[in-house]
Amino acid sequence: MCCDSDYVARNKSQDSGIAEMEELPVPHNIKISNITCDSFKISWEMDSKSKDRITHYFIDLNKKENKNSNKFKHKDVPTKLVAKAVPLPMTVRGHWFLSPRTEYTVAVQTASKQVDGDYVVSEWSEIIEFCTADYSKVHLTQLLEKAEVIAGRMLKFSVFYRNQHKEYFDYVREHHGNAMQPSVKDNSGSHGSPISGKLEGIFFSCSTEFNTGKPPQDSPYGRYRFEIAAEKLFNPNTNLYFGDFYCMYTAYHYVILVIAPVGSPGDEFCKQRLPQLNSKDNKFLTCTEEDGVLVYHHAQDVILEVIYTDPVDLSLGTVAEITGHQLMSLSTANAKKDPSCKTCNISVGR
């Protein structure tokens, strides 16, 4: 039974018509199950005394306080879900308050509606905490379809590249045997993305300048660039996955793709959580064969961020200093997605 009933702010004026009565059973042993990014099931136990008088349940659902939250941001309004008494477990889903990967507190009252419209209620239950889940493949496919709309035409490219500071490459040579190591992806992008804070990989770019067909000389990530032939990372022995679609209060949008060697731990992680793309035929990044040679194309109208899930040896490419500027304003490190953008948001949250 889905519960999409009225939400009312908890305040004294609304509670003034509610009288407490000991006889109604107090919910206890609350269980939260079947948690998704925008729904959950809730059940509890209660004494049989006066159980037949229960006409409604009051469910008090609040976002858990975040000590690091923006102090200038409006506080979320606590909400009380007024639901008709239905068999338990009861499903709560599909409303504006639930966001993916977010901690909540929940408490429950039983209530009996009187002829005058007032309620007799039990005491509140204990408070339970839970966290909503990441986007599922279904939600990511919705994001994927939105991204396809604005991807634009495909441009040819031949190298993947990664910009960093000189110290990064020195460290790789000295401490990791010349191999760049995967690291856990930060929390940039969609709040519900299943790869944020979980998937390990190495970020690469492949965007090219329209007039030269080559990588741009500017970068937000450092003045030294590692370049590697596209076929060394993206070939018939790798799988391609869609990871995210977002913007940062800007006109341009980012698409995160994941390249994982077939059968690798990264491949297994993505296979369970992300939509897989046809490497030869998709709107973002393709690898096709022409006259026995692998040919590569990338989407023109989105900025691609490509995550490769295995270590990459520096000997497979070259490291050189770029001639352009370091544009820090374009960095996406831990960047927050614009929740108001209609182009890259879906209805289940940010």
Side-chain angles (χ1 to χ4, degrees):
M1 180 82 184
C2 176
C3 182
D4 295 325
S5 307
D6 313 2
Y7 279 75
V8 292
R10 290 185 66 194
N11 56 47
K12 292 182 179 178
S13 64
Q14 286 167 321
D15 286 346
S16 61
I18 299 178
E20 291 191 12
M21 182 174 284
E22 293 290 336
E23 285 77 4
L24 286 178
V26 179
H28 61 274
N29 197 23
I30 296 174
K31 303 288 187 186
I32 304 292
S33 61
N34 296 81
I35 300 172
T36 72
C37 68
D38 65 345
S39 70
F40 62 92
K41 284 189 176 182
I42 185 169
S43 63
W44 55 84
E45 297 175 8
M46 50 189 167
D47 296 334
S48 57
K49 180 180 64 174
S50 300
K51 192 174 179 180
D52 58 345
R53 293 179 53 235
I54 297 172
T55 60
H56 290 77
Y57 302 135
F58 291 173
I59 301 175
D60 195 34
L61 181 66
N62 296 279
K63 283 185 181 178
K64 191 176 176 183
E65 282 295 324
N66 181 359
K67 294 179 181 177
N68 298 319
S69 61
N70 185 344
K71 65 181 179 180
F72 297 108
K73 192 176 179 181
H74 291 298
K75 287 181 180 282
D76 291 298
V77 178
T79 60
K80 184 190 294 175
L81 171 58
V82 181
K84 289 184 177 179
V86 296
L88 301 177
M90 179 174 64
T91 300
V92 179
R93 68 162 170 257
H95 64 83
W96 61 271
F97 194 72
L98 285 173
S99 296
R101 200 185 276 203
T102 302
E103 292 184 324
Y104 290 91
T105 62
V106 64
V108 186
Q109 277 181 321
T110 58
S112 177
K113 191 172 185 178
Q114 307 299 292
V115 291
D116 59 2
D118 286 345
Y119 289 91
V120 172
V121 298
S122 72
E123 294 181 3
W124 284 102
S125 70
E126 74 272 27
I127 296 173
I128 299 296
E129 298 180 1
F130 72 99
C131 184
T132 47
D134 299 331
Y135 284 154
S136 67
K137 280 188 181 180
V138 172
H139 301 109
L140 287 171
T141 299
Q142 294 175 23
L143 272 182
L144 163 63
E145 291 169 351
K146 278 179 162 281
E148 288 177 333
V149 173
I150 68 161
R153 70 190 187 98
M154 304 291 279
L155 299 179
K156 187 177 288 189
F157 77 100
S158 60
V159 298
F160 288 103
Y161 56 93
R162 173 174 172 81
N163 276 71
Q164 280 287 348
H165 299 286
K166 181 177 182 295
E167 292 77 14
Y168 167 83
F169 294 111
D170 290 342
Y171 188 88
V172 167
R173 295 185 185 99
E174 294 173 17
H175 299 280
H176 291 302
N178 216 47
M180 294 185 291
Q181 299 297 313
S183 59
V184 177
K185 183 195 170 298
D186 65 13
N187 288 316
S188 60
S190 300
H191 188 57
S193 173
I195 62 177
S196 293
K198 295 181 181 179
L199 176 68
E200 294 187 357
I202 306 170
F203 265 104
F204 286 91
S205 299
C206 62
S207 299
T208 55
E209 292 182 325
F210 178 75
N211 55 340
T212 66
K214 296 180 180 181
Q217 279 301 311
D218 299 325
S219 170
Y221 301 109
R223 294 193 56 80
Y224 284 78
R225 175 174 293 168
F226 171 74
E227 283 193 11
I228 184 170
E231 61 264 24
K232 297 285 181 66
L233 300 186
F234 188 29
N235 53 61
N237 296 316
T238 58
N239 283 326
L240 180 66
Y241 298 91
F242 174 83
D244 200 5
F245 177 45
Y246 70 101
C247 71
M248 304 180 297
Y249 302 89
T250 54
Y252 44 87
H253 282 78
Y254 296 83
V255 169
I256 299 179
L257 303 176
V258 183
I259 297 175
V262 174
S264 67
D267 190 35
E268 293 304 313
F269 177 95
C270 295
K271 194 173 295 182
Q272 297 173 30
R273 298 168 177 84
L274 306 180
Q276 185 170 348
L277 301 175
N278 182 339
S279 297
K280 298 179 181 179
D281 183 18
N282 66 81
K283 299 287 188 181
F284 311 110
L285 186 72
T286 59
C287 168
T288 55
E289 189 173 330
E290 297 179 12
D291 300 324
V293 178
L294 294 178
V295 178
Y296 296 87
H297 290 84
H298 71 81
Q300 175 185 2
D301 294 342
V302 291
I303 300 174
L304 294 182
E305 297 182 308
V306 180
I307 301 175
Y308 187 76
T309 62
D310 271 15
V312 176
D313 199 292
L314 294 178
S315 65
L316 295 175
T318 60
V319 177
E321 188 173 3
I322 60 173
T323 59
H325 301 286
Q326 186 174 339
L327 305 175
M328 294 303 294
S329 62
L330 295 180
S331 172
T332 61
N334 286 307
K336 298 305 178 187
K337 180 174 182 174
D338 177 3
S340 64
C341 178
K342 294 180 180 179
T343 300
C344 62
N345 280 287
I346 55 178
S347 60
V348 293
R350 300 177 291 279

